[in-house]
Amino acid sequence: MSKLTDVPKRILIGRARRSEKLGETLLPKRVALPVFASDPLSSVAYAPGEVLIVLSIAGASAYHFSPWIATAIIVLMFTVVASYRQNVRAYPSGGGDYEVATTNLGRRAGLTVASALLVDYVLTVAVSISSGVENLGSAVPFVVENKTTVAVAVILLLTVMNLRGVRESGKLFAVPTYCFVVGVLALILWGVIRTVLLDDDLKAPTADYEIHTEHTEGLAGFALAFLLLRAFSSGCAALTGVEAISNGVPAFRKPKSKNAATTLALMGVIAVTMFGGIIALALASDVKMAERPSTEILVNGEPAGSDYAQDPVISQVGAAVFGDGSLPFVFLAAATALVLFLAANTSYNGFPLLGSILAQDRYLPRQLHTRGDRLAFSNGIVLLAGAAAILVVVYEADSTRLIQLYIVGVFVSFTLSQTGMVRHWNRLLRTETRPPERRRMLRSRAINTFGAFFTGIVLIVVLITKFSHGAWVSLVGMGLFYALMTAIRRHYDLVAEELETDEEGEPPVRPSRVHSIVLVSKIHKPTLRALAYARLMRSDSLEAVTISVDPSETKELRAEWDRRGIDVPLKILESPYREVTRPVIDYVKRMRKEHPRDVVSVYIPEYVVGHWYEQLLHNQSALRLKGRLLFTSGVMVTSVPWQLESSEIARRRARRRADWHAPGAVRRGPVPGQGKRDEQ
Amino acid sequence: MSKLTDVPKRILIGRARRSEKLGETLLPKRVALPVFASDPLSSVAYAPGEVLIVLSIAGASAYHFSPWIATAIIVLMFTVVASYRQNVRAYPSGGGDYEVATTNLGRRAGLTVASALLVDYVLTVAVSISSGVENLGSAVPFVVENKTTVAVAVILLLTVMNLRGVRESGKLFAVPTYCFVVGVLALILWGVIRTVLLDDDLKAPTADYEIHTEHTEGLAGFALAFLLLRAFSSGCAALTGVEAISNGVPAFRKPKSKNAATTLALMGVIAVTMFGGIIALALASDVKMAERPSTEILVNGEPAGSDYAQDPVISQVGAAVFGDGSLPFVFLAAATALVLFLAANTSYNGFPLLGSILAQDRYLPRQLHTRGDRLAFSNGIVLLAGAAAILVVVYEADSTRLIQLYIVGVFVSFTLSQTGMVRHWNRLLRTETRPPERRRMLRSRAINTFGAFFTGIVLIVVLITKFSHGAWVSLVGMGLFYALMTAIRRHYDLVAEELETDEEGEPPVRPSRVHSIVLVSKIHKPTLRALAYARLMRSDSLEAVTISVDPSETKELRAEWDRRGIDVPLKILESPYREVTRPVIDYVKRMRKEHPRDVVSVYIPEYVVGHWYEQLLHNQSALRLKGRLLFTSGVMVTSVPWQLESSEIARRRARRRADWHAPGAVRRGPVPGQGKRDEQ
């Protein structure tokens, strides 16, 4: 190969090797935590606010219910974490909820979970980015003034990053996530110190405002209960993304399951602490949040008006504790925004991952299954980004309204996977005899049963309290995914059936002989190569065929053919209309008619060029011919490529593509038996 | 084949046969005339007006120069016709000016002519349609009020017609063209009768208006001369399309050349009569035309204003002779518009025709060469329509302004082809000895020499008088076409050179043995067929290769393989990253490295499906793999198709495409030796 291409080649091979190494890096807990927990942890940035907002409908007085709601959510959080610790132990393969549901509850359940998760990935992007923008906005006013635009811009940025195949690395996640966690814990700590020890009272920016809604005089009975339930389900937003770890077990260091379980617990504890702490501080600092701030927030008795931007609870608390605009305040806001964007990015990694698992079960196009397939992943990513962008635009990047759509999917998959786990344990218990084992299993089953029951209740609550508020949208989305995937699966099944072989396993007509045809336009290297190759194949008959488009050219060809004494008979097909395809097709069909049990093998010399516009100048008729030949039975079509110099460019381009890193490679973990690869 | 497909099949075959018949119909003179002359004849609809418009710059008084200008144009017309009668005799092949210029003056000249003609085709569409709309407008005010819109609509209509492959039939042209000719002749006759015999004076609608320009007091000396020359070159618009016949000789009945020549003469006489007649009547009826009517036309001393629409001369004369709005007047207007639209349509037929000739000489992509290639023609047509539409929009469908661009190209090709003819005769005269022959040749040469000289002068005049008025635009256009075509030709030449075979004519490394690989994903009919076919080919070694994407699946495959006792060794390639392409490529490369002189033949079983969205679900990895394999040398790639039931749909679609009629089929004439086709 020419010197010119050596350098890029080395670079590429280098790259390639690195990309293999990448697959082998296993995540230690301290890295796995940020990678998988950025999504659930980041949700404490908006979840507490949602609780207060719903409560505000019954006036600020209703805020005193929030501790109870928080407690409920925290209990739920522990339940879910506990349940999933069982999942990761039982299913270390990384199939996650989809696998659990499918194996234990069957296809339909599995597909439902899958649809729910797909919808959730979209919503995670939309919600996290909107909320991230809001947090950034609390420090940088400009951002909040052009919320939607900024949000869409961020989506675009993430999309481009992932399309270009940016490698998801532990560091990328670790730094901001830990900054965020540290920031929030510091916030809580300092907050507690100030209130309890120094007992100066915290004052949130909105402390002096009042809330006025139609129910400000308070609610009672059923209405109140309903409101509390709604507040609770809104708060459940804190639980989104908990299941992420269960999809990522293979990425953990050994003992994988154990480490995953520990990480889950860790994540749970941190999340719960942050969630509870923020709610507490919010109450302490008199944060006021309303559903429609412009009208329901009163600033010195007057409605705040449409230009009033309601800062998220976390930043209001930040302002109260650290002082508005202070360095730690800005640091916290930035960290929050960043971790929220990372949370969104996890969807970009999770979506194709789930896609490839679904593709394996033929619910999605096969090519999504292969890891390296850039094209397939790109489509998935664009789909994801597009859907998210639409949501963001429709809901004007208002996290509060988007969250209404959010939680349904999460709890659908929670409930189904927990129910699946119960079944799982039942099955095992039937066969298991050793007492200690049985005890473990019974405990696990108990946990999962409670989990299934609890999450099930929550799912119902969420559906009831939020259906009209937008939950229906995500149900529709799930329906669409479900329908699409079943359709694809049906198609594959039909095809498989059609291709099913009868046992003795030979195609109906057992072919007897093969006639080879080499297509010749003029005598040049590609033609000669095609002839040489065809000759090597030793078929029963071999002839060269040319289409006489221009009599004089044909005469020349014939003459040179004889002069060179090429030992293959040259057949000339007349083509009065200067068509290339039809005469060949006709000729092949005639051959087939004469010898129905024989096979015709057509050799087509092809140029390989570098640029698409060069491609336009070549092979067009060859391409069309191949296309048509594929429809004629008893034919095989052989392209004998001739690489033009310019094709080197394209070869390099193709190599570069092959070296691309699929998003989600890290969380997917390394691949069993890849060691073999390097031996090769 | 199933009953279902029989009916369409019969229909299709029926169609196909008809389409062959079509090619065989030769045009009698009475049909050829309208087919080829609609363009030149229709130009009398605007040419006379252009003369008057330019003259009007020196005030209405200058109109009295118009007879002299008309005479000059008529002389020129006779010269050109006489010259082209020589062309059709000497070059009956239908290559037209391009062929003449190339053979006698060399590539560059030929390419210049080609570029000029291509530009002219675009302008013919733009000018004819704009003028047609103006004529229609004289009868239907609405049309003239939305000139541009209507013009673009007509372009779209013609485009769709030609894309759908409407067959250009003699009748389609004959009826309107003859209506037009009859109409105009009747107009002239009745006009003469009224003035001379009944001597009532004709009054055009604009008769009482005055013309006021800065030079109304008249011009003198150089300025006048220049103006007259400009008027003359504008009038030369009447000559556009004369060369059309010289491209169509093959379409004539035998004796082709003689008939073509006669038709040319006929066309010349009619055109001249109509042109002269209309100018005469225009003067007789005091038609007033101005370059900027809104300001330069005075209606009772006042400028006409921007809402004044200047009707074409022909319709003003029509109004004067038949009476405005009278039945014959409307009939004439309609016929004029129709024939102008037909003139535009001739470009749709001529453009691809020229394109295919240029493609034959590799100045344009090869596939343009084949007649049946719908795709190629479509591109050409869309290009043509697009360019024309842009011009129409930019120049607001104002024929007067468009004509400034028009005439350059025509005279470039006139001059070059006439010069070419002179060379042609010189060459023949060198060898020719028989006195009578020589005499004929000398006469022909004299005619062509004069033609070359005269048209050359005109070309210079046109360039001088019109360059700043827009001629430069068409020169730029020609330049672009020229550059593009030379680039394409250069690419083809480079490739041809690269593919040039050294005399002993074998590829550098003479391959010795061939290793066949059959790609297997699972055991189904396509796989078995591929195996069966591969076995038939008797290569030196044959093995089945599968990529282990999922260990369990692979184990199954291996098991079934053994159970069925398939007598081909199954090689398993590990693919840790679930890639399909890379492992195969690597494996093939390794094989090649071990045996550099051997060839690897890869068999890929392929499904053939009916719909593009089904295609998305299949063969994706096969496609990509094929793409990559083509870049690895010493490989041949064989697709063994398996037609799924749904593929029947696509097969039919493909057939239907094959039955499409290329535009320009008629004027291109039948194809030599197509009789053979039916024997087959």
Side-chain angles (χ1 to χ4, degrees):
Chain A
M1 202 157 298
S2 80
K3 209 169 197 149
L4 223 170
T5 68
D6 271 358
V7 180
K9 209 175 148 199
R10 210 175 302 111
I11 295 168
L12 289 162
I13 292 170
R15 264 225 214 96
R17 196 172 291 114
R18 278 207 306 285
S19 84
E20 284 169 24
K21 282 270 163 300
L22 165 74
E24 290 152 15
T25 54
L26 284 168
L27 303 178
K29 287 197 283 306
R30 68 177 186 292
V31 180
L33 181 68
V35 166
F36 292 109
S38 63
D39 178 4
L41 292 183
S42 67
S43 53
V44 303
Y46 45 82
E50 295 310 316
V51 176
L52 299 185
I53 285 175
V54 176
L55 289 176
S56 72
I57 294 171
S61 59
Y63 280 176
H64 69 264
F65 289 111
S66 52
W68 303 107
I69 290 167
T71 325
I73 291 169
I74 288 168
V75 173
L76 179 59
M77 173 70 92
F78 279 131
T79 322
V80 172
V81 168
S83 317
Y84 271 94
R85 282 164 55 84
Q86 314 311 318
N87 289 38
V88 294
R89 290 223 185 74
Y91 293 89
S93 57
D97 296 342
Y98 168 70
E99 185 184 356
V100 176
T102 316
T103 32
N104 298 304
L105 307 174
R107 271 190 181 198
R108 282 208 185 64
L111 210 49
T112 316
V113 171
S115 326
L117 289 175
L118 290 175
V119 170
D120 260 17
Y121 281 127
V122 176
L123 283 161
T124 306
V125 175
V127 170
S128 305
I129 288 182
S130 304
S131 163
V133 170
E134 283 158 4
N135 277 281
L136 210 57
S138 66
V140 189
F142 162 85
V143 172
V144 84
E145 284 149 17
N146 315 292
K147 235 168 149 189
T148 315
T149 327
V150 176
V152 171
V154 177
I155 292 182
L156 281 181
L157 180 71
L158 286 180
T159 311
V160 173
M161 268 172 51
N162 284 283
L163 283 181
R164 300 238 16 264
V166 62
R167 199 179 306 147
E168 175 192 36
S169 74
K171 267 188 229 63
L172 176 72
F173 280 85
V175 180
T177 311
Y178 280 121
C179 289
F180 174 68
V181 173
V182 170
V184 176
L185 293 182
L187 171 74
I188 295 166
L189 196 65
W190 185 231
V192 173
I193 292 172
R194 277 187 61 184
T195 33
V196 180
L197 304 187
L198 320 177
D199 88 64
D200 42 6
D201 68 337
L202 304 175
K203 251 171 130 297
T206 55
D208 303 337
Y209 302 168
E210 298 155 55
I211 292 175
H212 177 80
T213 68
E214 61 219 82
H215 315 293
T216 312
E217 68 293 333
L219 278 167
F222 179 75
L224 179 61
F226 188 84
L227 189 72
L228 295 184
L229 286 177
R230 241 191 87 196
F232 169 73
S233 23
S234 293
C236 290
L239 279 83
T240 54
V242 173
E243 77 287 356
I245 291 185
S246 68
N247 300 324
V249 185
F252 280 84
R253 287 231 177 113
K254 291 197 171 56
K256 294 177 181 295
S257 298
K258 193 173 161 309
N259 287 334
T262 323
T263 316
L264 251 168
L266 221 61
M267 189 268 296
V269 173
I270 299 175
V272 161
T273 324
M274 301 202 296
F275 183 80
I278 291 173
I279 290 251
L281 289 174
L283 289 178
S285 60
D286 285 332
V287 170
K288 299 283 191 316
M289 303 283 278
E291 209 173 16
R292 299 181 204 68
S294 53
T295 60
E296 296 172 355
I297 292 275
L298 302 185
V299 184
N300 341 329
E302 292 304 306
S306 56
D307 58 349
Y308 171 80
Q310 178 166 267
D311 286 337
V313 170
I314 188 167
S315 70
Q316 291 200 37
V317 172
V321 174
F322 295 131
D324 202 341
S326 67
L327 184 66
F329 167 80
V330 173
F331 169 87
L332 181 64
T336 314
L338 205 52
V339 80
L340 280 162
F341 295 153
L342 279 185
N345 190 58
T346 55
S347 289
Y348 281 91
N349 296 306
F351 196 80
L353 177 53
L354 179 57
S356 72
I357 296 169
L358 287 167
Q360 191 163 11
D361 297 355
R362 292 189 269 102
Y363 287 117
L364 288 178
R366 290 294 265 166
Q367 67 266 35
L368 276 162
H369 183 37
T370 67
R371 270 199 177 189
D373 189 333
R374 180 174 197 153
L375 196 72
F377 279 133
S378 312
N379 297 340
I381 288 173
V382 170
L383 179 74
L384 174 70
I390 291 172
L391 285 175
V392 165
V393 171
V394 171
Y395 290 93
E396 294 157 322
D398 178 341
S399 58
T400 307
R401 283 166 64 202
L402 281 165
I403 281 170
Q404 310 302 324
L405 288 61
Y406 200 8
I407 306 121
V408 188
V410 188
F411 279 90
V412 168
S413 48
F414 280 166
T415 317
L416 284 175
S417 94
Q418 292 316 313
T419 325
M421 287 305 290
V422 178
R423 278 265 190 99
H424 168 79
W425 297 124
N426 290 340
R427 205 174 53 256
L428 291 194
L429 281 164
R430 246 178 259 112
T431 57
E432 187 55 68
T433 52
R434 289 163 295 162
E437 284 303 312
R438 288 189 65 83
R439 231 175 290 109
R440 264 213 325 86
M441 290 183 181
L442 287 165
R443 215 188 74 258
S444 303
R445 184 177 65 177
I447 297 172
N448 289 123
T449 318
F450 183 68
F453 172 76
F454 201 164
T455 50
I457 298 286
V458 176
L459 175 58
I460 294 162
V461 170
V462 169
L463 279 175
I464 293 169
T465 56
K466 293 181 164 293
F467 187 84
S468 58
H469 291 76
W472 64 271
V473 177
S474 41
L475 287 178
V476 170
M478 284 169 60
L480 290 179
F481 277 118
Y482 192 97
L484 175 68
M485 291 194 285
T486 28
I488 291 181
R489 175 61 184 258
R490 194 178 306 110
H491 172 82
Y492 276 127
D493 290 349
L494 283 176
V495 170
E497 207 176 284
E498 196 178 332
L499 301 181
E500 205 31 75
T501 54
D502 25 20
E503 251 325 298
E504 91 287 349
E506 284 295 331
V509 182
R510 176 189 250 92
S512 57
R513 291 144 33 82
V514 49
H515 306 284
S516 292
I517 297 175
V518 182
L519 291 186
V520 175
S521 59
K522 60 168 69 74
I523 300 184
H524 50 32
K525 289 176 182 159
T527 309
L528 294 173
R529 175 178 282 184
L531 279 168
Y533 286 10
R535 244 198 249 96
L536 276 179
M537 291 303 277
R538 292 192 304 283
S539 45
D540 300 275
S541 81
L542 170 61
E543 65 180 341
V545 166
T546 187
I547 295 100
S548 162
V549 159
D550 171 335
S552 65
E553 277 180 15
T554 315
K555 201 180 287 114
E556 257 171 48
L557 177 66
R558 152 72 62 203
E560 190 175 358
W561 196 268
D562 301 339
R563 210 186 71 260
R564 288 171 177 275
I566 298 172
D567 62 349
V568 177
L570 175 65
K571 164 94 181 170
I572 294 170
L573 300 181
E574 292 300 335
S575 168
Y577 292 95
R578 303 218 216 87
E579 295 163 315
V580 181
T581 315
R582 206 189 285 192
V584 177
I585 301 286
D586 294 348
Y587 183 65
V588 170
K589 287 217 180 111
R590 256 198 321 286
M591 276 189 128
R592 290 274 304 152
K593 207 172 280 118
E594 287 158 19
H595 323 278
R597 300 190 51 245
D598 298 1
V599 176
V600 181
S601 160
V602 184
Y603 289 83
I604 304 177
E606 265 185 52
Y607 314 119
V608 184
V609 289
H611 304 289
W612 62 268
Y613 53 82
E614 290 175 325
Q615 189 60 37
L616 285 182
L617 300 178
H618 299 289
N619 303 332
Q620 291 308 320
S621 30
L623 272 176
R624 208 163 294 104
L625 181 57
K626 273 156 78 178
R628 293 280 277 115
L629 277 173
L630 291 183
F631 291 115
T632 24
S633 60
V635 174
M636 48 184 151
V637 186
T638 306
S639 355
V640 182
W642 179 276
Q643 295 82 8
L644 290 166
E645 276 142 19
S646 70
S647 72
E648 181 52 30
I649 303 154
R651 188 199 276 117
R652 254 181 271 129
R653 203 184 307 121
R655 274 219 220 82
R656 226 172 292 123
R657 276 212 208 81
D659 288 333
W660 167 84
H661 309 296
V666 164
R667 58 187 58 226
R668 189 181 305 210
V671 200
Q674 82 188 69
K676 291 209 191 60
R677 182 123 206 269
D678 310 334
E679 291 159 24
Q680 292 185 3
Chain B
M1 202 156 301
S2 78
K3 208 168 196 147
L4 224 172
T5 67
D6 270 358
V7 181
K9 206 174 152 198
R10 211 175 302 112
I11 295 167
L12 289 162
I13 291 170
R15 262 224 215 96
R17 197 173 292 117
R18 277 207 305 284
S19 82
E20 283 171 24
K21 282 270 164 301
L22 165 73
E24 288 153 17
T25 55
L26 282 168
L27 303 178
K29 287 196 284 303
R30 68 176 186 290
V31 180
L33 181 67
V35 166
F36 292 107
S38 63
D39 178 4
L41 291 184
S42 65
S43 54
V44 302
Y46 44 81
E50 296 309 317
V51 176
L52 298 183
I53 285 174
V54 176
L55 288 177
S56 72
I57 293 170
S61 59
Y63 280 176
H64 69 265
F65 289 110
S66 52
W68 303 106
I69 291 167
T71 323
I73 290 170
I74 288 170
V75 173
L76 178 59
M77 173 67 92
F78 279 131
T79 323
V80 171
V81 168
S83 317
Y84 271 94
R85 283 164 55 85
Q86 314 309 318
N87 289 38
V88 294
R89 289 219 187 77
Y91 292 89
S93 57
D97 296 342
Y98 169 69
E99 186 185 356
V100 175
T102 318
T103 32
N104 297 305
L105 307 174
R107 272 191 181 197
R108 283 209 183 64
L111 210 49
T112 317
V113 172
S115 325
L117 288 175
L118 289 174
V119 170
D120 259 18
Y121 280 128
V122 176
L123 282 162
T124 306
V125 175
V127 170
S128 304
I129 288 183
S130 305
S131 163
V133 169
E134 284 159 1
N135 277 281
L136 210 57
S138 66
V140 190
F142 163 85
V143 173
V144 83
E145 285 150 15
N146 315 291
K147 232 166 145 189
T148 315
T149 329
V150 176
V152 172
V154 177
I155 292 182
L156 282 181
L157 180 71
L158 287 179
T159 312
V160 173
M161 269 172 51
N162 283 284
L163 284 181
R164 302 235 18 262
V166 62
R167 200 179 305 147
E168 176 192 35
S169 74
K171 267 188 227 63
L172 176 71
F173 280 85
V175 179
T177 311
Y178 280 122
C179 288
F180 174 67
V181 173
V182 170
V184 176
L185 293 183
L187 171 75
I188 295 168
L189 194 67
W190 184 231
V192 173
I193 292 174
R194 275 185 60 183
T195 33
V196 180
L197 303 186
L198 319 177
D199 90 62
D200 41 8
D201 67 337
L202 304 173
K203 252 170 128 300
T206 56
D208 304 337
Y209 302 168
E210 298 154 54
I211 293 173
H212 176 80
T213 67
E214 60 217 81
H215 314 295
T216 312
E217 67 292 335
L219 278 166
F222 179 75
L224 180 61
F226 188 84
L227 189 72
L228 295 184
L229 286 178
R230 241 191 87 198
F232 168 74
S233 25
S234 293
C236 290
L239 280 83
T240 54
V242 172
E243 78 287 357
I245 290 183
S246 67
N247 299 325
V249 185
F252 280 84
R253 288 233 178 112
K254 291 196 172 57
K256 293 176 182 298
S257 299
K258 192 171 161 308
N259 287 334
T262 321
T263 315
L264 252 168
L266 218 62
M267 188 268 295
V269 173
I270 300 175
V272 160
T273 322
M274 300 201 297
F275 184 78
I278 291 174
I279 289 251
L281 288 172
L283 290 179
S285 61
D286 286 330
V287 170
K288 301 280 193 319
M289 304 280 281
E291 209 172 17
R292 300 182 203 71
S294 53
T295 61
E296 296 171 356
I297 291 277
L298 303 185
V299 184
N300 345 327
E302 292 303 308
S306 55
D307 57 351
Y308 171 80
Q310 178 165 268
D311 286 335
V313 168
I314 188 167
S315 70
Q316 291 201 37
V317 172
V321 173
F322 295 130
D324 202 341
S326 66
L327 185 66
F329 167 81
V330 174
F331 169 85
L332 182 63
T336 314
L338 204 53
V339 81
L340 280 162
F341 296 153
L342 279 186
N345 191 62
T346 56
S347 290
Y348 281 91
N349 297 305
F351 196 80
L353 176 53
L354 179 58
S356 73
I357 296 170
L358 287 168
Q360 191 163 13
D361 297 355
R362 292 189 268 100
Y363 287 117
L364 289 177
R366 289 296 264 167
Q367 66 265 36
L368 277 162
H369 183 36
T370 66
R371 272 199 175 188
D373 188 334
R374 181 173 196 154
L375 196 72
F377 279 131
S378 311
N379 297 340
I381 287 173
V382 170
L383 180 74
L384 174 70
I390 290 172
L391 284 175
V392 165
V393 171
V394 170
Y395 289 94
E396 295 157 322
D398 179 340
S399 59
T400 307
R401 283 166 64 203
L402 281 165
I403 280 169
Q404 311 300 326
L405 288 62
Y406 199 8
I407 306 122
V408 187
V410 189
F411 279 90
V412 167
S413 48
F414 280 167
T415 317
L416 285 174
S417 95
Q418 293 315 313
T419 326
M421 288 305 291
V422 177
R423 279 266 190 98
H424 169 79
W425 297 124
N426 290 339
R427 207 173 54 256
L428 292 194
L429 281 165
R430 248 179 258 111
T431 56
E432 185 55 68
T433 52
R434 288 162 296 161
E437 284 301 313
R438 289 188 64 82
R439 231 171 293 112
R440 263 210 330 81
M441 291 183 180
L442 287 167
R443 216 188 71 255
S444 303
R445 183 177 67 176
I447 297 172
N448 289 123
T449 318
F450 183 68
F453 173 75
F454 200 167
T455 50
I457 299 287
V458 177
L459 176 58
I460 295 162
V461 171
V462 170
L463 280 176
I464 294 169
T465 55
K466 292 182 164 295
F467 187 83
S468 58
H469 289 77
W472 65 271
V473 177
S474 41
L475 287 177
V476 170
M478 284 169 59
L480 290 179
F481 277 118
Y482 191 98
L484 175 68
M485 292 194 284
T486 28
I488 291 181
R489 174 61 183 258
R490 195 180 302 110
H491 172 81
Y492 276 127
D493 290 348
L494 283 176
V495 170
E497 207 176 283
E498 197 177 332
L499 300 181
E500 202 36 69
T501 54
D502 26 18
E503 251 327 297
E504 90 289 348
E506 284 295 329
V509 181
R510 176 190 250 92
S512 55
R513 303 160 67 254
V514 50
H515 304 286
S516 291
I517 298 175
V518 182
L519 291 186
V520 176
S521 60
K522 61 168 72 71
I523 299 186
H524 51 29
K525 288 177 183 157
T527 309
L528 294 175
R529 175 181 281 184
L531 280 168
Y533 286 11
R535 241 195 254 101
L536 277 180
M537 291 303 280
R538 292 191 302 282
S539 45
D540 299 274
S541 81
L542 170 62
E543 65 179 341
V545 167
T546 186
I547 295 99
S548 162
V549 160
D550 171 335
S552 65
E553 276 179 16
T554 315
K555 200 178 289 114
E556 256 171 50
L557 177 66
R558 151 71 64 206
E560 189 175 358
W561 195 269
D562 302 340
R563 211 185 73 260
R564 288 171 177 276
I566 299 173
D567 61 349
V568 177
L570 175 66
K571 163 94 180 171
I572 294 170
L573 300 181
E574 292 301 333
S575 168
Y577 293 95
R578 301 219 217 87
E579 293 163 316
V580 180
T581 314
R582 205 188 284 192
V584 178
I585 301 286
D586 294 349
Y587 183 64
V588 170
K589 286 212 180 114
R590 259 200 318 289
M591 276 190 128
R592 291 271 307 150
K593 207 174 277 116
E594 288 158 20
H595 323 277
R597 301 192 46 245
D598 298 2
V599 176
V600 180
S601 161
V602 184
Y603 289 82
I604 304 177
E606 264 184 53
Y607 314 116
V608 183
V609 288
H611 304 288
W612 63 268
Y613 54 80
E614 289 176 326
Q615 189 60 34
L616 286 182
L617 301 178
H618 298 289
N619 304 330
Q620 291 306 322
S621 31
L623 273 176
R624 208 162 294 105
L625 180 57
K626 273 156 78 179
R628 292 278 277 112
L629 277 173
L630 291 183
F631 291 115
T632 30
S633 58
V635 174
M636 48 182 151
V637 187
T638 305
S639 356
V640 182
W642 179 276
Q643 294 81 10
L644 289 166
E645 276 142 19
S646 70
S647 71
E648 181 53 30
I649 304 155
R651 189 199 276 119
R652 253 180 271 131
R653 204 185 304 117
R655 275 219 218 84
R656 227 172 292 120
R657 276 209 209 83
D659 287 333
W660 168 84
H661 308 292
V666 163
R667 58 187 57 227
R668 188 181 306 210
V671 200
Q674 82 189 65
K676 290 206 191 62
R677 183 124 204 269
D678 310 332
E679 290 159 24
Q680 292 185 4

